[in-house]
């Protein structure tokens, strides 16, 4: 290891690290120009998100790390319990329930929220699963899917434009040519996505989430980032609002990146009445008594809202064109790698 100068602490090591060694010996892999370039792009991303959201009237809140309950709809991952003064609390898998609480006080809220999910070890091979990651979570009181998708379009454009400009050197070092997305991203419904995937040879359950292998292919197939909208109710968590006209669908969407990078965001409009949420909890096999404070909060009244969460390491991965997401966290935790 050679340092360019003692005052600037510029690492010049060019050693390549595979995932296992890079994670286990992070104190070495973080010294490489490549790691530094990726984390600088991430810094620029965080700065752009903050600047943009502050400019359009959002209030930043500090996200919870633990709580009595968290988002149960996390597709096969386990939740970690932590003892808390005689009670069993959990680490946040997403701050959705708490984000809804902020709507009682602020019209537009965002947070950089830490999440821990014990994903199955096999997901370390997808290149896009960490066991600890951050989301940029945002929520708009009285918002609609259309409104927050438009915000997502602008946020993604601004992030890409800024990173191309401010991190040209880093992108060159990473060998990344980052295309500009259209100002308004295309939208397809979940039903159309299933049709396209069926044409590509997949046999899929039209009432379920799209499995990641299939979504990966869709992501390779389409040329720009795009939204998938109108998810079947059976495919989504209890906090998504059923379409009043078509209750078999929820007002919910995902943002999918091209080039095989796949999903970076899920969001939608929220159920916000005790009756609606309790019904959906029972449908999804959740015990409403576990969520007593949440249901009490809804009883007291919160505004309807819409929002989404973007995985920040996943977005960094796309911006940098990096094959595996471990490189996009300064302190990576990869499922199954200890
Ligand atoms: P979800 O609540 O599962 O839809 O997650 C919201 C967003 O968080 C996803 O769209 C991803 O960008 C990100 N995300 C979810 N799970 C992971 C994970 N295991 N590793 C990294 N990012 C994740
Ligand atoms: Mg999702």
């Amino acid at each position: 290891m050679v340092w360019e100068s003692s005052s600037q602490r510029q690492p010049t090591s060019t050693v390549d690290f595979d995932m296992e060694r890079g994670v286990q010996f992070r104190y070495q892999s973080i010294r490489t120009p490549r790691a530094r370039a990726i984390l600088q792009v991430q810094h620029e991303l965080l700065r752009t998100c903050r600047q943009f959201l502050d400019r359009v009237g959002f209030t930043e809140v500090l996200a919870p790390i633990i709580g009595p309950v968290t988002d149960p709809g996390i597709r096969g991952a386990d939740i970690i319990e932590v003892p808390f003064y005689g009670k069993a609390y959990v680490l946040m898998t997403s701050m959705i329930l708490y984000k809804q609480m902020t709507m009682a006080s602020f019209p537009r809220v965002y947070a950089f929220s830490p999440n821990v999910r014990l994903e199955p070890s096999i997901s370390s091979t997808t290149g896009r699963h960490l066991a600890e990651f951050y989301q940029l979570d945002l929520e708009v009181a009285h918002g609609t899917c259309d409104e927050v998708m438009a915000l997502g379009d602008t946020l993604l454009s601004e992030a890409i434009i800024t990173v191309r400009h401010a991190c040209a050197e880093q992108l060159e070092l990473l060998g990344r040519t980052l295309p500009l997305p259209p100002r308004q991203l295309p939208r397809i419904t979940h039903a159309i996505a299933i049709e396209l995937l069926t044409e590509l040879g997949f046999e899929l359950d039209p009432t379920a989430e799209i499995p990641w292998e299939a979504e990966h292919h869709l992501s390779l197939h389409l040329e720009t980032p795009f939204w998938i909208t109108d998810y079947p109710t059976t495919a989504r968590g209890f906090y998504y609002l059923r379409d009043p006209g078509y209750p078999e669908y929820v007002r919910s969407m995902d943002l999918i990146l091209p080039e095989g990078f796949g999903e970076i965001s899920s969001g939608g409009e929220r159920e916000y009445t005790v009756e609606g949420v309790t019904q959906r909890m029972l449908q999804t096999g959740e015990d409403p008594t576990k969520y007593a404070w949440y249901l009490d909060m809804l009883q007291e009244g919160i505004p309807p809202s819409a929002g989404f969460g973007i995985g920040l390491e996943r977005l960094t991965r796309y911006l940098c064109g990096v094959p595996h997401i471990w490189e996009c966290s300064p302190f990576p935790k990869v499922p199954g790698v200890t």
Side-chain angles (χ1 to χ4, degrees):
M1 181 67 51
V2 185
W3 297 99
E4 276 173 6
S5 85
S6 57
S7 59
Q8 264 207 306
R9 309 291 284 168
Q10 294 277 358
T12 56
S13 165
T14 52
V15 176
D16 277 336
F17 286 85
D18 61 30
M19 188 253 287
E20 294 247 346
R21 283 187 58 246
V23 170
Q24 282 174 354
F25 302 103
R26 189 50 161 158
Y27 53 88
Q28 291 174 345
S29 63
I30 203 169
R31 294 163 187 252
T32 58
R34 180 176 167 87
R36 189 181 166 86
I38 294 169
L39 296 178
Q40 275 178 333
V41 168
Q42 187 162 69
H43 163 70
E44 207 56 53
L45 167 65
L46 301 182
R47 214 160 59 87
T48 309
C49 292
R50 265 208 177 94
Q51 272 177 356
F52 169 68
L53 293 172
D54 291 351
R55 198 171 71 228
V56 295
F58 278 76
T59 304
E60 182 175 2
V61 297
L62 297 175
I65 297 170
I66 60 174
V69 284
T70 188
D71 180 359
I74 50 170
R75 298 214 252 173
D78 284 333
I79 297 177
I80 296 184
E81 280 193 2
V82 287
F84 188 75
Y85 300 100
K87 288 205 166 150
Y89 270 30
V90 287
L91 294 182
M92 286 298 128
T93 56
S94 111
M95 70 175 292
I96 173 62
L97 308 179
Y98 303 84
K99 200 165 61 161
Q100 279 185 278
M101 193 199 295
T102 66
M103 294 290 96
S105 202
F106 295 103
R108 301 180 134 205
V109 163
Y110 75 96
F112 294 106
S113 61
N115 298 167
V116 177
R117 300 181 185 183
L118 292 182
E119 303 278 3
S121 298
I122 183 74
S123 63
S124 68
T125 59
T126 64
R128 59 182 211 168
H129 285 88
L130 288 166
E132 179 192 63
F133 59 95
Y134 278 81
Q135 291 192 54
L136 166 61
D137 253 299
L138 63 80
E139 197 72 14
V140 176
H142 304 283
T144 60
C145 284
D146 277 344
E147 192 178 345
V148 294
M149 280 192 280
L151 274 169
D153 290 353
T154 312
L155 187 63
L156 187 67
S157 272
E158 292 224 356
I160 291 177
I161 290 167
T162 310
V163 163
R164 275 168 48 127
H165 178 71
C167 299
E169 229 175 82
Q170 286 80 5
L171 294 182
E172 198 184 327
L173 185 146
L174 296 164
R176 175 63 164 153
T177 308
L178 187 56
L180 277 181
R183 280 276 172 188
Q184 191 180 357
L185 301 178
R187 300 174 186 182
I188 60 173
T189 62
H190 179 268
I192 297 285
I194 297 284
E195 258 178 46
L196 284 171
L197 283 164
T198 308
E199 279 166 26
L200 290 173
F202 286 91
E203 277 179 36
L204 298 172
D205 175 357
T207 65
E209 277 267 27
I210 300 169
W212 64 261
E213 306 88 335
E215 187 204 276
H216 176 77
H217 277 264
L218 198 57
S219 155
L220 285 171
H221 191 70
L222 297 173
E223 278 172 5
T224 68
F226 64 98
W227 296 96
I228 300 181
T229 64
D230 301 282
Y231 276 79
T233 303
T234 43
R236 298 298 246 200
F238 64 73
Y239 41 79
Y240 286 113
L241 186 72
R242 280 163 298 182
D243 191 307
Y246 306 89
E248 61 278 24
Y249 293 95
V250 276
R251 296 255 175 93
S252 176
M253 69 281 173
D254 274 4
L255 178 56
I256 312 291
L257 292 172
E259 302 175 52
F261 287 95
E263 177 198 328
I264 47 153
S265 177
S266 291
E269 293 173 31
R270 318 298 182 183
E271 287 277 1
Y272 64 102
T273 63
V274 178
E275 300 71 32
V277 167
T278 311
Q279 254 184 27
R280 292 281 291 124
M281 280 181 172
L282 294 172
Q283 277 174 6
T284 57
E286 282 300 313
D287 175 5
T289 59
K290 239 175 79 180
Y291 298 87
W293 72 264
Y294 177 68
L295 294 172
D296 287 349
M297 171 186 86
L298 300 183
Q299 187 69 52
E300 194 130 328
I302 55 163
S305 64
F308 57 71
I310 296 187
L312 288 163
E313 295 85 355
R314 284 199 186 170
L315 185 49
T316 306
R317 179 180 171 230
Y318 174 70
L319 295 173
C320 295
V322 166
H324 199 290
I325 194 169
W326 76 264
E327 292 190 283
C328 303
S329 167
F331 315 108
K333 315 292 182 317
V334 174
V337 178
T338 55

